[in-house]
Amino acid sequence: MDYRYIQNFTEMTPFTEIKEGDQGTIYYRFFPDPNLEPREYVLSLTVDYIDADKEEFQTVYFNQTIEIVESQSSQNSRTFFGRCLMLALLAAAGVGAQTFSKRFGGKKSKASAPSASKNSGSANEWLQDTNIKGGASSGKKASKKA
């Protein structure tokens, strides 16, 4: 098995003095890096200490395999945001499909605007007395009346 350091918790140095023959407890909270994947890890905890003669010692007080699991709350939020992302993607796909069908689909008949009946005159009736083609006086010079 390959052992390597993933995270080091040596940031706390309590410098608590414990007299010879006494016992002491040190409260030390640590949290694993949130980027660690949920799986099993080997956790080794040691304490370094110096005796009255200035000799340095190190004692391993915990050396076991632990399992890091994902918290239930993060699973719920991950599920929620995953579903929101899925809905957003489905909505985008629907809008894209609608746009695609409008752009490349067959021409649909458009509702025609109400037009003047054929009995009321030509379609360019409103152009009469103008110099624009289609009017009654088009192609002819307008005569001026004095």
Side-chain angles (χ1 to χ4, degrees), residues 95-142:
V95 169
Q98 183 180 15
T99 303
F100 181 80
S101 68
K102 282 183 179 179
R103 182 173 290 170
F104 298 109
K107 299 247 179 186
K108 295 182 180 177
S109 63
K110 295 182 180 179
S112 60
S115 60
S117 65
K118 300 210 183 237
N119 296 339
S120 65
S122 69
N124 295 329
E125 185 177 82
W126 62 279
L127 291 174
Q128 286 179 349
D129 299 326
T130 64
N131 289 330
I132 300 176
K133 287 185 178 180
S137 62
S138 66
K140 302 177 187 174
K141 285 193 172 183

Side-chain angles (χ1 to χ4, degrees), residues 57-105:
F57 296 93
Q58 186 177 53
T59 302
V60 176
Y61 64 93
F62 187 87
N63 190 17
Q64 292 182 5
T65 301
I66 62 163
E67 182 178 5
I68 294 181
V69 294
E70 197 168 2
S71 71
Q72 187 65 28
S73 64
S74 68
Q75 288 177 351
N76 289 340
S77 63
R78 182 177 289 177
T79 302
F80 173 75
F81 287 115
R83 288 182 180 161
C84 287
L85 177 64
M86 183 63 72
L87 286 173
L89 290 174
L90 286 173
V95 169
Q98 183 180 15
T99 303
F100 181 80
S101 68
K102 282 183 179 179
R103 182 173 290 170
F104 298 109

Side-chain angles (χ1 to χ4, degrees), residues 17-18 20 48-57:
E17 184 176 333
I18 301 173
E20 185 177 343
D48 298 327
Y49 54 95
I50 302 171
D51 67 359
D53 298 330
K54 305 290 184 199
E55 284 188 64
E56 294 182 8
F57 296 93

